[in-house]
């Protein structure tokens, strides 16, 4: 059985040590007047620095031991995070995204076009989060992929038990034997992405770690960053990669949802990263499989905690 810790992010009041710096009352009252007298409350430059730093560092302290780490905030990772946070408010969920902008490929529908196609029944998530769509029978179309991604992200980030560290890269996995001698993934090695990208330019810039009993790999298919977790398991000799197959939309989406699972003890793989692991065909520009796979990853994670 995997025990869950309890915790929420971003709500901690600054520690007593910081209180004197961040809780200074503004000297000037704010005035909302658009006839020339609009006045902001008074602030010192240092207030903004300390307001950010104290919270970010507190979040890093809290996240150092998480319940679930989701690597990659594309459509699969965001859906997994949303579904997990909604169903298990007791779990501390940490999401790592290498890019500054979370969302992965889901800002556009395909070939740099805005409309996003989602095959049924994955459109049920759209109804749940309030994203309008055109119903085309077997599939629905959202007028702009960014509408889906930004809505999902706003719902996800509103959960108190979710913290997204963007511009933060998963650089490695922590793999150890458990009490029964079984090798398990039980954490990730992290660094700010700009540091990760500069490893060849500077001498030793050591990383950080986040331990968690459950990792969800949702890094997308192979590319500059993609398929990170399964490539690392493969380079450690722990699994063999199936290699993503050429596109077959009808086969791919069902396969990816139904096969989303714990591929190695402690790590569930979701979205296109699973295609690299299992050798499923790619699906092109329908995001139904990503939504379904993200949801299944969350349910598989819940099973691990309930086991
Ligand atoms: O930046 C990556 C992206 O936002 C992030 N990521 C990758 N490696 C990472 C690492 N640390 C932290 N080491 C990392 N973050 O993972 C995110 C993956 O998002 P994605 O949109 O590429 O993948 P997805 O599986 O969620 O969605 C795939 C969408 C596709 S691709 C496709 C096709 O090629 O046919 N069809 C669909 C629907």
């Amino acid at each position: 059985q995997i025990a869950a810790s309890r915790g929420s992010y971003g709500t901690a009041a600054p520690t007593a040590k910081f209180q004197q710096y961040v809780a200074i009352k503004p000297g000037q009252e704010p005035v909302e007047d658009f006839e020339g007298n609009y006045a902001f409350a008074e602030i010192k430059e240092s207030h903004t620095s300390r307001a950010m730093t104290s919270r970010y560092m507190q979040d890093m302290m809290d996240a150092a031991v998480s319940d679930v780490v989701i690597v990659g905030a594309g459509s699969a990772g965001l859906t997994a995070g949303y579904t997990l946070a909604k169903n298990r408010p007791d779990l501390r969920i940490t999401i790592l995204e290498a890019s500054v902008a979370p969302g992965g490929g889901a800002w556009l529908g395909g070939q740099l076009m805005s409309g996003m196609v989602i095959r049924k029944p994955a459109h049920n998530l759209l109804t749940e989060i309030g994203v309008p769509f055109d119903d085309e029978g077997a599939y629905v179309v959202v007028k702009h992929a960014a509408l889906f991604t930004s809505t999902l992200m706003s719902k996800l980030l509103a959960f108190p038990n979710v913290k997204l560290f963007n511009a933060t890269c998963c650089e490695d996995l922590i793999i150890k034997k458990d009490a029964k001698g079984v090798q398990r993934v039980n954490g990730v090695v992290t660094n700010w992405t700009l540091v990760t990208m500069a490893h060849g330019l500077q001498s030793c810039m050591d990383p950080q770690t986040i331990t968690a009993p459950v990792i969800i790999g949702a890094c997308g298919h192979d590319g500059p960053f993609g398929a990170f977790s399964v490539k690392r398991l493969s380079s450690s000799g722990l699994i063999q990669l199936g290699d993503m197959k050429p596109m077959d939309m009808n086969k791919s989406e069902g396969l990816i949802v139904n096969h989303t699972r714990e591929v190695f003890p402690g790590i569930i793989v979701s979205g296109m990263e699973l295609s690299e692991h299992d050798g499923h065909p790619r699906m092109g520009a329908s995001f139904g499989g990503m939504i379904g796979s993200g949801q299944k990853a969350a349910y598989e994670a819940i099973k691990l905690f309930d086991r």
Side-chain angles (χ1 to χ4, degrees):
Q1 162 138 19
I2 299 171
S5 65
R6 287 180 176 271
S8 57
Y9 286 110
T11 48
T15 58
K17 197 174 166 200
F18 283 118
Q19 199 71 34
Q20 57 180 312
Y21 299 123
V22 296
I24 298 169
K25 285 232 155 52
Q28 175 185 300
E29 290 305 317
V31 181
E32 196 180 34
D33 171 336
F34 294 100
E35 298 300 326
N37 296 307
Y38 193 108
F40 284 100
E42 199 175 303
I43 195 172
K44 288 184 179 163
E45 286 75 7
S46 59
H47 290 171
T48 56
S49 305
R50 286 168 173 155
M52 290 186 291
T53 310
S54 58
R55 283 167 180 79
Y56 192 86
M57 293 308 168
Q58 186 63 54
D59 285 346
M60 281 182 91
M61 297 272 288
D62 293 341
V65 179
S66 296
D67 294 308
V68 179
V69 175
I70 300 174
V71 186
S75 44
L78 290 172
T79 307
Y82 168 80
T83 310
L84 198 51
K86 185 185 86 173
N87 286 290
R88 289 295 298 262
D90 58 314
L91 297 179
R92 192 191 295 277
I93 302 160
T94 302
I95 307 176
L96 302 178
E97 170 49 54
S99 296
V100 170
W107 290 113
L108 291 163
Q111 198 167 349
L112 308 187
M113 296 191 191
S114 20
M116 177 185 246
V117 173
I118 293 174
R119 280 165 72 196
K120 293 181 178 179
H123 72 300
N124 287 328
L125 180 71
L126 304 180
T127 308
E128 181 180 324
I129 62 175
V131 174
F133 52 78
D134 293 334
D135 194 329
E136 302 280 352
Y139 61 91
V140 304
V141 186
V142 179
K143 71 174 181 182
H144 202 304
L147 178 59
F148 164 72
T149 300
S150 59
T151 307
L152 180 60
M153 212 182 306
S154 69
K155 303 275 178 201
L156 167 69
L157 293 176
F159 286 113
N161 55 330
V162 170
K163 174 66 190 177
L164 166 71
F165 291 102
N166 44 331
T168 304
C169 216
C170 174
E171 285 194 347
D172 208 342
L173 301 174
I174 304 172
I175 301 176
K176 286 185 184 174
K177 285 189 178 156
D178 66 13
K180 292 181 185 151
V182 178
Q183 283 204 304
R184 293 186 62 85
V185 178
N186 69 353
V188 292
V189 177
T190 69
N191 225 325
W192 284 316
T193 303
L194 293 180
V195 176
T196 299
M197 291 169 73
H199 278 314
L201 306 174
Q202 299 284 332
S203 55
C204 184
M205 295 183 288
D206 276 339
Q208 287 264 25
T209 59
I210 300 176
T211 55
V214 177
I215 309 296
I216 297 177
C219 292
H221 61 67
D222 205 0
F225 276 123
F228 168 78
S229 328
V230 295
K231 284 197 290 192
R232 189 64 181 111
L233 286 172
S234 167
S235 69
S236 306
L238 296 169
I239 60 158
Q240 263 205 317
L241 288 183
D243 202 6
M244 185 173 67
K245 300 289 179 292
M247 190 190 293
D248 183 337
M249 224 177 209
N250 262 323
K251 282 190 186 153
S252 58
E253 295 203 272
L255 281 172
I256 211 152
V257 178
N258 291 320
H259 288 257
T260 298
R261 66 195 185 283
E262 186 183 31
V263 302
F264 186 83
I267 183 161
I268 295 162
V269 176
S270 176
M272 292 308 281
E273 185 165 7
L274 187 71
S275 293
E276 296 288 354
H277 180 273
D278 287 0
H280 299 309
R282 72 190 304 175
M283 69 271 310
S286 166
F287 285 78
M290 298 300 105
I291 291 175
S293 174
Q295 291 169 318
K296 176 98 188 305
Y299 297 132
E300 292 297 304
I302 291 168
K303 277 190 213 160
L304 294 178
F305 284 99
D306 287 346
R307 200 159 60 187

